[in-house]
Every structure is written in structure tokens, then in C-alpha cells.
Amino acid sequence: MKIDCLLLGAMALVCYSFAAEAHDPWEEAEDMLRQAVKWHDPIDGSSEFATEGHSVRDPVLYIPIDYYDQEQKESYSYFWSHIANDWQKAAYTLLQESSDKYNNAEATYTLAQLHLWGHYNFPHNKTLAFKYSEKFNNLTSFTNSSVLFDLSVMHSTGLFGEIPIDSAKALVYLQHSASLGNIQAKQALAYKYYSGTNVPRDSNKALLIYREVAEIIRESFTEEEWHLYPPYEESYNLRIPDFCGGLLGKGLSSMALSTRRIASERPDIASSFLTKMDGSRIWLHFGNGNSGGAFTSGDDESDDRLVDIYYTALDEYKGTYMKRRDCERAMRLLKLTYEAFDNDVPSMDNLQRYFYAKCLDLLGHMYFTGEGHGHPDISLAEVYLKRSIEIIETYSSITSRSHIDLGLIAQYIYKNNSKAIEHYRRAERSGFNDGRTDFQLSKLTTEYPEMKLGDPFILMQSAYSKGLRPAVYEFARLTEGGANDRYSCEDTAFLFKSFVEGNEEMMAPQLRVAYGELLKENGEVALWAYAQAAEQGFETAQISAAYMLYQLPHNFEEPPVTLPERKLMAISYYVRAFKQGNIDAGVVAGDMYYGVGDYNKSIQLYQSSALKFSPQALWNLGYMYE
């Protein structure tokens, strides 16, 4: 009996030890992940991403031309055998065990996202991303809207040759994701109905969904943001080939370039001046940088220093594709400029006065919005804005942009509508009207029709045409209400679509991620991110995704080596972009059909592009007829 008890005790101890060892390691894996950097953001102006012949001001993007499936698999194996560090091996083992052995949903989700986005410097792997996304979906009974949207994109694109394209399943996942409230899925569903992509075209359904998303976006704005200035967005909504002059090349592309945040050509920091900052102190050295002192207006080393200062501050204020915006830095530079130059205005020439006044306008604007200062300071804003107007309009016939901000201050701070209208009327005739004056005049004439400031619909239409975000929404609402006596469901859907796509930070934050991954030479992660935005209907993302999937060879070059599925997907995105007004995309799609011998589709695309006045399409048609 005593021996039996001892045996039972020993067996219990063994079982307890085994049970203690056999537990879900998710918490341990979670602790390891919490201590690591999930994603390294390369967009900071670091020289790490500059190459020979390029400064940190120039984007150096990695765009692979050929694609070999076997090479991708070998690269993944090589990572685990030669590159992965001990932390990565340990963390991955814990995650894998938690998911595969214990069906832990959180670990499964982490593995899916890790393989999709390359988190924690793990390599992208489409096969495993799909496997774990599907498993997570089943573990959570189809209740996670984000993963449902991921799976919809996977089935819609076939992961570019990894799985069969299944448009029906993609639509079901998308509808379910949208029903759970995912706004990206709602946008993608609206785009499908708007464009007729894999569903019958239905402008009414598109309008209903786009308007629903637009209302969600509208509610995210405060009244101050909506009526004064919407939050500034560092946009990455661009076409990758635009960095090289456009889809057809420099001088041949018909489309306006989408790359609007390129660093200003001036200043040339290698020869014009060198900016150094240390805390709140700033020194500017001109010429070869050996002058040794702070700038003075009497120094003849640089006649255009104020031009350089203005563009330096502007680049800091708006940010570029290689450097995040730094409003505090811009403000310090502009304040020092005011202290150093204001007394010398009478001795300046017209160019210097003009750019000095622009410096004051930007400084006043920043005090008005609170950017770089922490909070708005209306008193200081007025000082600099009025001084800008005084300098510009005393010495020239040009109207200052500062009238826009002073009009907003008069209208919303001092409730002086007559003074606001006076400023708006002056700004309206200037070349700096960004739509804000038309927007405010439309509001005022609606509220006070006796002022007879103009037709509110036409004024709002003018503000919309200039791209002012609140005006796009307001004009869509006016159009939907039949304000012009000509209601069009399709036109109204287009307006709400434009507003939704104009709010990039909320609707497509993956565009910034995609660009950053290109800088880090993670082309497949960038392609996935662009594909998501392309499915949501962003024309620029459709071009970027298509360009990464297939680039037309130059004369006498061999065509890229790639999978047939990737080439077909590229054609699909080019055609979708063409239907959204990108003329060059129609030409490229026609070229691709021509290359595979499908001359009927080729000539159809050339003819359609020629009707939109594409010189290249006309030439291609002439060549085919010849």
C-alpha cells in the first residue's frame, strides 16, 4: 500500500511537471513582442536611404523588375538559416506553437500580420499570410472586419499568383467586413458598384455607401477644423512612376504628376547655404559656409537668401517624401528671419521684399492655426499677416495671401462679416485662392442672401474645383439636393467618392507604409499595401501596384520575367485606372495586350485613349494601321 502511494505520488508529480511545461506560450511571446520595435519608419530624412548621386532630399525607391517565385522561396529559407537573430527565432517559435498547438487566435492573428507586413523585420510570405489569416477567420467565426478585408483583397488579387482568384468569395468577405463597420471595406464595396468591377454597375448603391463613409469622415472633423482649416495631411497618395516623369516617361506622359511634395529646388544646401540648429538657436551660413556669423542683409554673398529661407521653411512646414514635416523648426527659422530682416525692408529689392513677405505670411498662418506653437495665437498671427500685406501691397500690385487668414479671423474670431468679406474679395482676385474664400463666401451668401455675394452653388463649385476638402463634401450635398436643378446619381456618387479619397490618413494609411517599404527595399510588402488601396478605388494606388507588377521594357530591352498571373493583374489595374481618367494607363494596357498578340483589345484601348487626346495612343494607332 505504501509503495502504491509512492508510485501514485511520483506519477502525479510527473503529470504536474508535464502540465506545467505544456501551456500556451502566447503571454511569453506577447512579452517579447512588446519589447521590440514593430515597424521602423524610414521617412525621416536619414542618410541611410540615400545613395551615391542622391541626397536625402531625393527618394531612392527600390522597384524590382523581374519576379521569380522560386527565388522568393529561397530568400525566405535563407532568412531563417543566415539572417534571423536569436530573438526572432525564439519569438516565432513561441507564436507558431501557440497558434498551431493551442489554436490561440491572438497568436494566429500576429503571425498573419507579421507575414503580410514584415513586422519586427520578418520577411513577407504570402503562403503563410493566407494560411494564418484563414485560420484566424475560422477561429473567430468571421467576426474580425480587418482580417475579412485582408482576405477579400487576397481572393480578389489571388495574391498575384499564390492562390486562385475567387471574385465571388472576395465579394462575400468584403460585404461581411463592411457590414461589421470596416470603412475601408465600405469604400472598396462602393468602388466595386461605382465601377462595375466584378459586380453589375449600380450608381445608386455606390452613392449610398460613399455617402455613408463621407458622413463618418465629416463627423471626425471638429467645427473649427471644418470651417477654418482642416488638419494638414502629409500625403503619399502618388503614382510611383511619377518620380521618373510619369508612366510613359518624361515628356511623353499626358497626366499631371502626382508627386506634389518634392523638396523645393531651392535652396541647394551644398552650395547656397547650410542650416544648422541646436535647440532653439539657428545659424544660417551662406556661400561656402565659412562666413562664420549669423546672416545679415548687408552681406553680398547671396542675393537670393530670402528665397532660399522661404523655401527651406516651406519644406519644413509641409514635409517632403523623404522628411517628415517639422512645424517647430519652420517657425524658429521664420521668427529669426523676422528679427534679422524686418528693419531692412526699405533697402531690399522687389524680389527680396516679396519673399520676405511670404515668410511673414507663413509665420502668421502658423500662429493662426497653432502649428509649431502648440495653440493658436491670434494676436501674433495678425501682427505678421498684416505686416506681410503691408510689404507686398505697398511695393507692388500683387495681392497678399494673408487676406484669407485675416478674413477667417474677422469672420470667426471677431464676428465681423463685412470686414471678412472685404478680405475675401481681395484674396479672391489673387493667385493664392485655394478655394477657402469661395467656400466662405458661399456660406455667407446662404446665411445672408441680402448681401448678394454671388450664387452659393457656383461659389461652392469653384471651391470644390480648387480641391478644398470641406468644399468637396458641401458641393456633393448641394448637388444631391438638386441645387443646380440637374440631379445626377452618378455625378453625386463621384463627388462623395472624391471626398472619401481626399481623406487619406483615415481611409488609406497604408499608402504611407507602402512608400516606406519601398525605401527599405521590401517590394512585396509595398505591393500588398498598394493592392489594398487599389481595391478601395485609389487610382494612384492602381498605377503603383500595376507598375510594380509589370513595367514595360524600353527599346531593345527584354520584357520583364514574371508570373502570368502578375502580368494579368497589372493589366487589370491599368485598365481600372484608365476608366478613372488616367489616359497613360490606357496606352500602357494597350501596349501590354499588343505584346501578347491580342490586337483587338490593344486597338480598343488605343482608340479610347486617342479619344481623350493621347498623342502616344494616336501614334500607336497610326503604327498599327500602317
Side-chain angles (χ1 to χ4, degrees):
M1 184 73 175
K2 185 176 180 181
I3 295 175
D4 290 343
C5 289
L6 288 172
L7 286 172
L8 287 171
M11 290 175 64
L13 182 61
V14 169
C15 291
Y16 177 81
S17 299
F18 179 79
E21 291 177 3
H23 72 282
D24 185 350
W26 162 246
E27 289 187 4
E28 187 179 349
E30 190 179 27
D31 285 339
M32 291 187 71
L33 296 176
R34 195 178 292 117
Q35 297 169 22
V37 177
K38 187 174 183 179
W39 187 71
H40 171 61
D41 184 1
I43 306 168
D44 59 1
S46 170
S47 58
E48 177 186 353
F49 299 98
T51 61
E52 186 177 352
H54 295 269
S55 72
V56 295
R57 298 158 59 80
D58 304 317
V60 182
L61 303 180
Y62 171 70
I63 313 292
I65 297 176
D66 297 323
Y67 180 88
Y68 299 93
D69 190 47
Q70 185 60 34
E71 185 181 81
Q72 294 290 316
K73 294 174 182 175
E74 291 173 359
S75 176
Y76 186 77
S77 298
Y78 184 83
F79 170 82
W80 288 110
S81 60
H82 293 84
I83 300 175
N85 57 39
D86 292 340
W87 181 92
Q88 288 173 315
K89 291 176 181 177
Y92 192 86
T93 299
L94 293 171
L95 288 169
Q96 199 172 39
E97 182 184 353
S98 179
S99 174
D100 295 352
K101 188 174 180 180
Y102 296 96
N103 289 325
N104 184 293
E106 291 176 288
T108 305
Y109 174 81
T110 302
L111 284 167
Q113 296 298 298
L114 179 150
H115 288 111
L116 272 180
W117 298 100
H119 292 159
Y120 308 103
N121 288 324
F122 283 100
H124 176 81
N125 187 300
K126 298 179 183 64
T127 303
L128 293 173
F130 178 70
K131 169 191 168 182
Y132 286 111
S133 294
E134 282 273 77
K135 181 176 181 178
F136 174 81
N137 203 29
N138 290 318
L139 287 173
T140 55
S141 303
F142 300 79
T143 56
N144 186 290
S145 66
S146 176
V147 174
L148 284 166
F149 176 62
D150 286 345
L151 284 165
S152 173
V153 177
M154 290 179 189
H155 286 294
S156 184
T157 61
L159 280 172
F160 319 110
E162 191 64 37
I163 60 175
I165 289 178
D166 191 332
S167 299
K169 187 176 283 189
L171 181 61
V172 170
Y173 281 136
L174 191 62
Q175 289 173 326
H176 190 29
S177 178
S179 71
L180 292 173
N182 187 290
I183 57 174
Q184 291 181 311
K186 289 177 185 288
Q187 183 187 12
L189 188 61
Y191 171 69
K192 280 188 180 293
Y193 286 120
Y194 179 80
S195 61
T197 303
N198 300 322
V199 295
R201 195 169 185 218
D202 191 328
S203 295
N204 285 298
K205 285 184 178 178
L207 172 58
L208 288 171
I209 303 172
Y210 273 130
R211 183 176 57 195
E212 179 188 351
V213 178
E215 295 294 342
I216 294 170
I217 296 171
R218 171 64 183 93
E219 290 173 6
S220 71
F221 285 83
T222 66
E223 288 304 299
E224 184 180 74
E225 290 172 339
W226 189 258
H227 293 291
L228 294 178
Y229 275 98
Y232 186 90
E233 284 193 347
E234 293 182 86
S235 175
Y236 291 87
N237 187 15
L238 52 85
R239 309 180 197 98
I240 293 303
D242 285 357
F243 284 112
C244 302
L247 196 54
L248 300 181
K250 192 172 183 179
L252 295 175
S253 298
S254 299
M255 296 295 294
L257 299 181
S258 60
T259 46
R260 298 183 178 88
R261 292 198 308 122
I262 298 291
S264 304
E265 292 185 9
R266 301 174 75 174
D268 178 353
I269 58 174
S271 61
S272 177
F273 71 88
L274 177 66
T275 304
K276 294 183 179 179
M277 297 194 178
D278 178 17
S280 61
R281 303 183 66 194
I282 307 172
W283 294 271
L284 291 185
H285 299 283
F286 296 94
N288 59 14
N290 296 324
S291 57
F295 55 75
T296 61
S297 60
D299 189 347
D300 294 329
E301 288 185 2
S302 176
D303 292 333
D304 58 358
R305 69 191 57 192
L306 283 165
V307 180
D308 291 348
I309 292 170
Y310 170 72
Y311 282 118
T312 299
L314 185 64
D315 283 347
E316 296 289 354
Y317 172 76
K318 65 184 179 66
T320 71
Y321 294 120
M322 286 299 291
K323 194 173 187 301
R324 288 190 292 267
R325 71 190 303 235
D326 189 336
C327 292
E328 291 183 6
R329 187 180 175 101
M331 178 169 276
R332 292 200 304 270
L333 174 57
L334 293 169
K335 286 168 67 177
L336 185 60
T337 303
Y338 172 73
E339 293 168 6
F341 284 99
D342 197 66
N343 291 332
D344 299 319
V345 169
S347 62
M348 293 179 182
D349 62 30
N350 287 337
L351 179 69
Q352 292 170 327
R353 288 193 196 100
Y354 175 74
F355 277 96
Y356 175 62
K358 285 175 74 69
C359 288
L360 298 185
D361 169 60
L362 181 55
L363 181 58
H365 175 73
M366 293 176 71
Y367 273 114
F368 173 47
T369 60
E371 297 167 302
H373 188 59
H375 59 86
D377 188 325
I378 302 303
S379 297
L380 280 176
E382 287 185 290
V383 168
Y384 295 118
L385 293 169
K386 289 178 179 178
R387 180 62 172 151
S388 175
I389 290 175
E390 179 186 358
I391 293 170
I392 286 184
E393 298 184 4
T394 298
Y395 294 97
S396 73
S397 59
I398 299 173
T399 302
S400 172
R401 194 219 65 88
S402 297
H403 284 292
I404 298 174
D405 288 347
L406 287 173
L408 292 169
I409 290 171
Q411 182 181 353
Y412 289 98
I413 306 301
Y414 299 126
K415 311 300 180 184
N416 188 338
N417 289 332
S418 59
K419 189 66 176 177
I421 291 168
E422 182 182 328
H423 282 297
Y424 293 149
R425 286 302 192 197
R426 290 188 65 81
E428 195 176 25
R429 296 188 294 271
S430 74
F432 304 105
N433 183 4
D434 61 356
R436 180 65 55 182
T437 60
D438 304 309
F439 179 78
Q440 298 299 342
L441 288 171
S442 176
K443 291 283 190 180
L444 285 168
T445 195
T446 300
E447 189 175 356
Y448 306 104
E450 67 277 6
M451 290 185 175
K452 297 181 180 180
L453 302 173
D455 186 321
F457 180 83
I458 293 175
L459 286 167
M460 193 62 73
Q461 185 177 37
S462 177
Y464 149 73
S465 68
K466 293 179 175 71
L468 185 70
R469 272 193 288 166
V472 179
Y473 173 84
E474 298 280 2
F475 185 61
R477 293 301 301 267
L478 287 173
T479 302
E480 186 180 28
N484 62 341
D485 298 324
R486 291 194 306 275
Y487 172 74
S488 167
C489 179
E490 186 174 351
D491 290 347
T492 307
F494 172 78
L495 291 170
F496 280 115
K497 175 179 183 290
S498 301
F499 175 70
V500 169
E501 291 177 358
N503 289 270
E504 175 187 334
E505 286 188 359
M506 187 171 181
M507 299 307 304
Q510 68 268 37
L511 290 174
R512 188 182 192 280
V513 174
Y515 180 82
E517 292 300 322
L518 285 179
L519 290 175
K520 295 192 290 183
E521 300 190 1
N522 294 331
E524 291 302 298
V525 178
L527 174 59
W528 165 251
Y530 280 127
Q532 278 196 335
E535 293 296 316
Q536 290 171 240
F538 286 89
E539 173 266 321
T540 54
Q542 289 168 350
I543 292 295
S544 293
Y547 189 74
M548 295 191 67
L549 287 165
Y550 191 86
Q551 300 168 45
L552 287 174
H554 295 291
N555 288 337
F556 309 116
E557 288 184 349
E558 291 295 321
V561 177
T562 189
L563 299 177
E565 294 88 348
R566 291 171 75 93
K567 191 171 183 179
L568 289 173
M569 199 69 228
I571 293 176
S572 174
Y573 280 143
Y574 279 130
V575 171
R576 291 186 212 180
F578 172 64
K579 289 180 178 178
Q580 296 205 76
N582 191 309
I583 304 170
D584 297 335
V587 176
V588 173
D591 290 345
M592 293 180 71
Y593 278 124
Y594 184 93
V596 298
D598 192 338
Y599 301 125
N600 287 329
K601 288 184 178 178
S602 179
I603 201 168
Q604 287 172 10
L605 283 161
Y606 289 153
Q607 286 173 334
S608 297
S609 300
L611 289 172
K612 296 181 179 180
F613 309 106
S614 167
Q616 187 64 47
L618 287 164
W619 192 95
N620 291 354
L621 280 173
Y623 178 82
M624 291 186 75
Y625 281 118
E626 183 183 28

